[in-house]
């Protein structure tokens, strides 16, 4: 566990890493964040995550008070200082402190902090044997409300879905959009495989443009397997040959049932297993050295 947190320009002890109760990130969930893994002292897809963070900030008109390069160096420093070879790093930008009331223009100093730690989203056996999931009643936010493309501090939509999954006795929830099409899971993108082709919902269905998704698309292409964006319903997941989820924290995790319907033969499928393996190899071999 890292002993220091990077906060507004430098490293501070964890115990002293605090932001104000008047920060609008705390008061209103007004801010953006990223989750990034590092493997064997290399940060995976660092530039892609930084670009997405800046895009999220741009959409909510939040000026990040450091440059992309400064943020990159701060992330590498925080990882280095953590003493971990493998871990998860979380940059967060909040709107900053201001008076009560939503007005973001009254907040003058956005806060930036970076935590390096470890994360395990699902039990290890789910990676070997596959994971059951359920569809939950909470729908994914519509793009015209809080656009799911924004990785904002406003994760209550997904937290409600996660609670519903837990109440149903599983670890992850399938979220549909307002039209009933599959969007994504609470912290992961979803994929099905049918007749050797991989399908995933397009971003406009209510999915975050996943960086692990892009990696999996490249790995699949290298295996001669096509990945196609397509709208589909949960009935198409029940009848798929294979299903899996991707995310930075989740990595690639096989799904073996949805709402009690067994997918394929109820074991992680052949293409999924290959992707799990190739992803692990690729992630360990590529990335920005933490120095
Ligand atoms: N969807 C949601 C809602 C997420 O929060 C995340 C990751 N945190 C993902 C999908 C997966 O994105 P990535 O592969 O870039 O981590």
């Amino acid at each position: 566990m890292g002993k220091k947190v990077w906060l507004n320009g430098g490293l501070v002890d964890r115990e002293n890493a605090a932001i104000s109760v008047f920060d609008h990130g705390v008061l209103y969930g007004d801010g953006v964040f990223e989750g990034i893994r590092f493997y064997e002292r290399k940060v995976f897809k660092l530039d892609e995550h930084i670009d997405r963070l800046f895009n999220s900030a741009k959409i909510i008109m939040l000026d990040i008070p450091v440059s992309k390069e400064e943020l990159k160096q701060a992330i590498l420093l925080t990882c280095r200082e953590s003493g971990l070879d493998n871990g998860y790093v979380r940059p967060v930008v909040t709107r900053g402190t201001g008076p009560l009331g939503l007005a973001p223009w009254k907040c003058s100093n956005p806060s930036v902090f970076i935590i390096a730690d470890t994360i395990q989203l699902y039990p290890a056996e789910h990676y070997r044997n596959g994971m059951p999931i359920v569809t939950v009643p909470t729908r994914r936010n519509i793009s015209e409300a809080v656009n799911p493309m924004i990785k904002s501090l406003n994760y209550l939509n997904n937290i409600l879905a996660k609670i519903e999954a837990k109440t149903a006795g599983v670890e992850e929830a399938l979220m549909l959009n307002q039209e009933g099409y599959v969007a994504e899971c609470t912290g992961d993108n979803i994929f099905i495989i049918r007749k050797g082709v991989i399908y995933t919902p397009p971003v406009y269905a209510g999915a975050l443009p996943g960086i692990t998704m892009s990696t999996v698309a490249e790995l699949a292409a290298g295996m001669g397997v096509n990945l196609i964006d397509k709208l589909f319903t949960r009935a198409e997941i029940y009848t798929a040959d294979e299903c899996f989820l991707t995310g930075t924290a989740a990595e690639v995790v096989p799904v073996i049932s949805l709402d009690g319907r067994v997918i394929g033969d109820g074991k992680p499928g052949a293409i999924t297993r290959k992707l799990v393996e190739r992803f692990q190899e690729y992630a360990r071999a590529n990335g920005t050295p933490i120095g």
Side-chain angles (χ1 to χ4, degrees), residues 49 52 140 151 155 158 184-189 208 210-213 246-248:
H49 283 282
R52 191 170 64 186
R140 197 68 180 94
K151 207 163 161 56
Y155 251 56
N158 301 37
E184 61 177 349
C185 292
T186 67
D188 324 308
N189 293 110
L208 184 80
I211 289 165
T212 318
M213 174 199 283
T246 69
T248 296

Side-chain angles (χ1 to χ4, degrees), residues 64-198:
I64 299 183
V66 292
S67 68
K68 286 187 177 181
E69 184 55 32
E70 284 165 339
L71 187 68
K72 186 171 176 171
Q73 293 310 322
I75 289 171
L76 294 172
L77 173 67
T78 312
C79 291
R80 200 152 65 232
E81 197 286 332
S82 75
L84 297 165
D85 292 343
N86 296 281
Y88 179 88
V89 59
R90 161 68 50 90
V92 181
V93 187
T94 69
R95 188 73 68 175
T97 59
L100 295 179
L102 298 180
W105 53 89
K106 293 185 179 166
C107 304
S108 48
N109 288 310
S111 268
V112 182
F113 61 89
I114 306 166
I115 303 166
D117 209 328
T118 55
I119 193 166
Q120 182 167 14
L121 223 52
Y122 307 123
E125 78 244 26
H126 285 339
Y127 291 85
R128 288 191 301 274
N129 305 328
M131 182 164 81
I133 63 172
V134 296
T135 312
V136 295
T138 297
R139 297 288 173 108
R140 197 68 180 94
N141 283 333
I142 57 169
S143 312
E144 295 79 3
V146 180
N147 193 316
M149 255 189 84
I150 310 167
K151 207 163 161 56
S152 82
L153 293 181
N154 230 296
Y155 251 56
L156 262 183
N157 179 227
N158 301 37
I159 289 168
L160 290 174
K162 190 92 175 168
I163 290 169
E164 288 162 349
K166 191 74 181 165
T167 308
V170 300
E171 301 278 340
E172 184 54 300
L174 176 68
M175 302 181 78
L176 308 179
N177 66 17
Q178 287 305 307
E179 286 79 44
Y181 288 107
V182 171
E184 61 177 349
C185 292
T186 67
D188 324 308
N189 293 110
I190 188 160
F191 302 77
I192 54 174
I193 304 175
R194 188 185 297 282
K195 295 194 192 333
V197 179
I198 309 178

